[in-house]
Amino acid sequence: MSKVFEPNREFSKNARIKNMCEFKEIGHEVDDDYEAYWDKLAKEKIDWFEPYNKVLDESDAPFYKWFIDGKLNVTHQCIGRHLKTRKNKAAIIWEGEDGSRRIITYLLLYYRVNRLANLLKNKFGIKKGDRVVLYMPMIPEAAFAMLACAKIGAIHSVVFGGFSAEALRDRIIDARAKLVITADGAYRRGTPYLLKPIVDTALESGCECCENVLVVKRNFEDIDMVEGRDHIYNDLIKHESQHCEAEVMDSEDPLFLLYTSGSTGKPKGVQHSSAGYILWAQYTMENVFDVKENDTFWCTADVGWITGHTYIVYGPLAMGATTIMYEGVPLYPDAGRWWNMIEELRINQFYTAPTAIRLLHKVGAEQPGKYDLSSLKVLGTVGEPINPDAWMWYYDVIGGGRCSIVDTWWQTETGGHMISPLPGATPIKPGSATFPLPGIKAEIIDEEGNPTPVGEKGLLCITKPWPSMIRTIWGDPERFKKSYFGDCKKDGKPVYFSGDGAMYDEDGYITITGRTDDVINVSGHRLGTAEVENVVAHDENVAEVAIVGKPDDIKGESLFAYIVTKTDIDVDSLKKVVNQLIVKDIGPIAKIDGLLLVPGLPKTRSGKVMRRLLRTIAKGEDITQDISTLEDPSIIIKIEKLFKGE
Ligand code: WT7
């Protein structure tokens, strides 16, 4: 049995949820009346323009609707309402990679967002419901742009700056975005890099919907400007008024789209709502991170991922907290950078990914000792399972044995945390995300809804709708139904299936065992193998390809490709060619690490590639499965030998 770590008593005394009794009491309250629980929270937490008249509408399930006919604006929740009490409080503290800082108070944030909102409306004709793509580095203007969209009811779709021109183009077209907001570039590892040329390439074909590009100057490198289409933010913004009426939004009006990978085909535009999403961002900030008025909160994610949306921008601001935004990489100028920032900015809650923890442990184990990390109260992780080694280092060395680690399980689709310890209440076991948050019905079941016995793997489902759930896949409601509500049922009713497997231990603690589908988790980022295979298959040397995840010490998983060639290209050259293609079509995050040339792929008689076997081989494990059902069992024996270099 794994060791249990009790919450720090001193911390618990002032925590919002102080012990497991309180946690269970809330659980009973939720069980007694599910809707009444959310009703109470929504009334208490959201500053409504007009009240809703019904909590939950299930009539068109699985297209659940929350807080029916309520009116609000998320920027009022995140900025406007704080002006009375916090106008001079730092909303965002930004640190550039070169060490420069910008401090944006709530009042200044209000003005910045208003000016940009006015610019979007007046100059570019952006209206409620229009889509705006953001392709931005980690600068405050990324947050201003998200919030400016929200202010006027436009739907933002942030595309991670590491994605290629092709990937950006697909997302602009799918969303039919009218405007792209970008920057000339930014700095990484001390060197300026460019973003704008990637936007130019993306817009070369098929993006007729996109009429304008707004460019924020960050590194002042030379970039080409297309006359009439491209505009410089820094020149235009000063002419706009600091005042802007917030658009009155319905609870269910979409706040943003965020594209994520699925097991098949092209990325899905996950659509989030206004009221349910912002309620959840705030609720989880309060309960999972237990952020207090004078705390400084730092989430190290990029705004291009859901973690950056909910825990850099919307969650901290909805609470009226101070959020940190850092431009650069953790290793610049050395592996002490983050610890140095924690010391200087006196960070109280720190939230990062296991892959970063492993990296910093490996390359700079001695670094944390040089800094004063005593301001830290809560440490968080997200994105992938955390291995016990990394967990213990985080706990002992970074947290000084004082801080709870909240291992938060959630997804782009869930909007915010679903399963996580509560730092003042939950006794934690390394490697377990522990229990669903109060109000969340996360259960491990089989396809028919039967509970999974202790110690056995089952399917991680959420069996009741929750306020911040994905509303649909942009432009493809059928795919939404099929992807999330097509696999599992409970009491005969389709329930949300996460795509993850999980397991209960004897105390009911939940351990996430990883994806059950062909999605790979590289450094906490989701990649659909099908998506990468489609790209690789286009190379003229490639006859057939299968890509699987291979365990990796730092990244968690890396991509391993089995390729049948139709030319006599050698392994090294093929790897180079294939990775060039991947970088062009998707981005560097999808590069393959390993490659094996094989004589064929293991297939069933019906022609389906048996990836399970390929995964087993890539893990370096022996094949124990029955291979007699394969069309040609000798293939897998050959592949196994090739892999072992025999
Ligand atoms: C997938 C979601 C949620 C923000 C970052 C990733 C994996 C997430 C954990 C965790 C084990 C985790 C799951 C999930 N995952 N958190 N604490 N322990 N696995 O968002 O790109 O939507 O990926 O990340 O497999 O399904 P995402």
Side-chain angles (χ1 to χ4, degrees):
M1 218 182 82
S2 58
K3 195 172 164 201
V4 178
F5 294 78
E6 295 290 336
N8 177 329
R9 288 235 182 98
E10 278 308 302
F11 177 86
S12 296
K13 276 189 203 157
N14 297 312
R16 283 191 179 74
I17 300 175
K18 297 178 174 43
N19 50 54
M20 286 313 269
C21 290
E22 287 187 12
F23 175 73
K24 283 180 188 142
E25 264 168 42
I26 307 176
H28 294 315
E29 193 188 328
V30 176
D31 288 341
D32 283 351
D33 192 338
Y34 192 67
E35 288 186 31
Y37 181 70
W38 300 117
D39 188 25
K40 189 183 85 181
L41 278 181
K43 285 206 174 100
E44 192 182 297
K45 306 280 175 206
I46 295 186
D47 199 350
W48 296 95
F49 292 168
E50 281 173 45
Y52 49 87
N53 50 43
K54 189 176 176 1
V55 175
L56 172 64
D57 177 359
E58 305 191 74
S59 61
D60 191 21
F63 300 94
Y64 296 98
K65 295 183 185 67
W66 284 86
F67 312 120
I68 312 306
D69 292 334
K71 306 288 181 229
L72 77 165
N73 187 289
V74 164
T75 65
H76 177 68
Q77 185 73 11
C78 290
I79 311 171
R81 72 187 182 116
H82 302 312
L83 296 182
K84 277 190 226 125
T85 50
R86 305 186 173 103
K87 82 175 161 37
N88 290 327
K89 178 174 176 177
I92 300 175
I93 300 179
W94 174 85
E95 183 160 312
E97 210 190 45
D98 63 1
S100 55
R101 287 192 187 131
R102 288 169 67 188
I103 298 172
I104 296 123
T105 63
Y106 273 93
L107 183 63
L108 293 179
L109 179 62
Y110 180 71
Y111 290 149
R112 295 294 191 132
V113 169
N114 286 352
R115 278 180 197 269
L116 181 51
N118 284 329
L119 184 66
L120 299 186
K121 265 196 309 202
N122 302 337
K123 172 94 185 163
F124 304 119
I126 303 294
K127 297 182 300 296
K128 178 175 175 179
D130 286 343
R131 276 79 54 207
V132 176
V133 162
L134 273 50
Y135 189 64
M136 304 281 282
M138 287 291 287
I139 53 177
E141 284 75 11
F144 303 164
M146 291 162 79
L147 293 159
C149 288
K151 183 110 198 186
I152 61 172
I155 304 169
H156 61 71
S157 167
V158 186
V159 177
F160 171 58
F163 280 120
S164 72
E166 301 284 332
L168 174 61
R169 172 186 300 150
D170 291 347
R171 286 159 177 77
I172 294 170
I173 295 174
D174 191 79
R176 276 166 287 113
K178 268 178 94 170
L179 172 73
V180 174
I181 308 181
T182 189
D184 46 5
Y187 294 91
R188 199 187 288 130
R189 293 178 201 90
T191 330
Y193 69 93
L194 295 178
L195 277 174
K196 169 67 167 52
I198 301 174
V199 175
D200 293 336
T201 310
L203 294 181
E204 263 165 23
S205 64
C207 295
E208 287 74 23
C209 53
C210 177
E211 297 155 2
N212 292 288
V213 178
L214 183 62
V215 186
V216 180
K217 287 276 194 186
R218 160 63 186 135
N219 59 15
F220 297 86
E221 293 290 309
D222 258 353
I223 47 165
D224 294 333
M225 295 292 286
V226 175
E227 181 78 38
R229 187 197 72 182
D230 300 351
H231 314 267
I232 301 284
Y233 166 91
N234 313 53
D235 298 339
L236 297 174
I237 200 72
K238 20 182 195 261
H239 307 300
E240 296 297 333
S241 154
Q242 311 200 120
H243 300 282
C244 176
E245 275 298 303
E247 188 75 33
V248 176
M249 303 297 287
D250 190 272
S251 295
E252 282 296 314
D253 279 336
L255 180 62
F256 64 84
L257 309 179
L258 188 57
Y259 284 80
T260 188
S261 296
S263 53
T264 51
K266 56 173 194 162
K268 312 179 260 203
V270 171
Q271 179 180 320
H272 277 289
S273 70
S274 296
Y277 172 80
I278 202 65
L279 175 64
W280 201 251
Q282 193 175 324
Y283 179 74
T284 51
M285 280 296 294
E286 290 177 356
N287 293 305
V288 176
F289 293 120
D290 207 68
V291 171
K292 297 283 169 43
E293 185 63 38
N294 287 321
D295 286 351
T296 305
F297 179 86
W298 184 14
C299 163
T300 67
D302 188 282
V303 285
W305 310 112
I306 189 71
T307 316
H309 284 58
T310 311
Y311 299 109
I312 295 177
V313 181
Y314 288 111
L317 299 178
M319 274 200 79
T322 298
T323 185
I324 301 295
M325 198 174 185
Y326 170 55
E327 178 184 42
V329 298
L331 300 182
Y332 187 82
D334 59 39
R337 179 60 184 265
W338 282 4
W339 319 131
N340 186 20
M341 282 179 65
I342 290 175
E343 174 182 290
E344 289 203 358
L345 297 167
R346 301 196 189 181
I347 305 292
N348 304 107
Q349 293 84 9
F350 178 70
Y351 192 31
T352 194
T355 187
I357 299 168
R358 288 192 293 264
L359 178 74
L360 291 169
H361 182 192
K362 192 169 162 191
V363 306
E366 78 295 348
Q367 288 284 357
K370 299 181 188 165
Y371 300 96
D372 175 7
L373 305 178
S374 61
S375 58
L376 289 171
K377 294 193 282 191
V378 180
L379 298 172
T381 79
V382 59
E384 50 180 321
I386 178 160
N387 49 306
D389 264 6
W391 196 98
M392 281 315 307
W393 188 72
Y394 201 32
Y395 187 80
D396 284 335
V397 178
I398 307 305
R402 262 184 353 268
C403 308
S404 272
I405 294 186
V406 290
D407 176 351
T408 60
W409 176 87
W410 58 296
Q411 311 178 291
T412 304
E413 292 85 344
T414 68
H417 306 146
M418 293 281 107
I419 304 177
S420 170
L422 300 173
T426 317
I428 36 185
K429 298 186 186 183
S432 168
T434 72
F435 309 109
L437 295 187
I440 293 302
K441 296 288 165 193
E443 297 180 65
I444 308 171
I445 54 180
D446 66 14
E447 275 124 355
E448 299 308 318
N450 307 304
T452 308
V454 170
E456 274 177 37
K457 274 191 204 176
L459 309 172
L460 180 56
C461 291
I462 303 169
T463 55
K464 265 180 180 288
W466 67 101
S468 65
M469 66 193 296
I470 172 178
R471 292 307 195 262
T472 187
I473 292 174
W474 179 257
D476 202 345
E478 276 312 305
R479 189 171 176 205
F480 164 74
K481 269 205 230 172
K482 223 174 124 233
S483 303
Y484 303 107
F485 292 87
D487 294 312
C488 299
K489 285 197 168 89
K490 199 184 164 190
D491 304 326
K493 223 168 98 180
V495 292
Y496 177 89
F497 173 44
S498 64
D500 280 334
M503 202 155 70
Y504 290 118
D505 77 359
E506 60 284 1
D507 302 318
Y509 279 65
I510 295 174
T511 295
I512 312 296
T513 55
R515 302 289 303 192
T516 62
D517 54 12
D518 292 320
V519 170
I520 300 181
N521 191 326
V522 180
S523 304
H525 301 309
R526 262 155 78 173
L527 289 168
T529 47
E531 209 181 316
V532 189
E533 284 168 5
N534 286 344
V535 172
V536 176
H538 273 112
D539 184 68
E540 56 190 15
N541 298 292
V542 175
E544 276 187 295
V545 51
I547 293 179
V548 299
K550 180 175 188 273
D552 182 282
D553 281 350
I554 300 282
K555 300 187 209 172
E557 274 186 295
S558 66
L559 299 189
F560 191 90
Y562 297 89
I563 294 182
V564 185
T565 51
K566 51 186 178 195
T567 58
D568 51 13
I569 187 166
D570 63 275
V571 171
D572 292 337
S573 315
L574 182 61
K575 192 172 161 192
K576 229 185 243 158
V577 173
V578 159
N579 273 336
Q580 275 166 0
L581 205 56
I582 292 174
V583 169
K584 181 176 155 289
D585 281 359
I586 304 177
I589 45 168
K591 281 207 287 199
I592 57 166
D593 267 0
L595 166 60
L596 191 68
L597 298 184
V598 293
L601 295 175
K603 288 184 188 159
T604 60
R605 290 195 187 97
S606 60
K608 195 170 152 342
V609 176
M610 289 290 281
R611 293 158 178 292
R612 228 167 355 105
L613 298 175
L614 295 173
R615 274 198 288 267
T616 306
I617 293 178
K619 276 189 199 154
E621 291 170 3
D622 290 329
I623 295 210
T624 51
Q625 295 102 328
D626 176 20
I627 56 168
S628 63
T629 55
L630 290 178
E631 184 195 39
D632 176 4
S634 76
I635 293 269
I636 199 73
I637 313 281
K638 283 184 202 150
I639 297 179
E640 203 176 8
K641 282 195 174 148
L642 282 168
F643 185 86
K644 291 183 178 155
E646 286 166 9

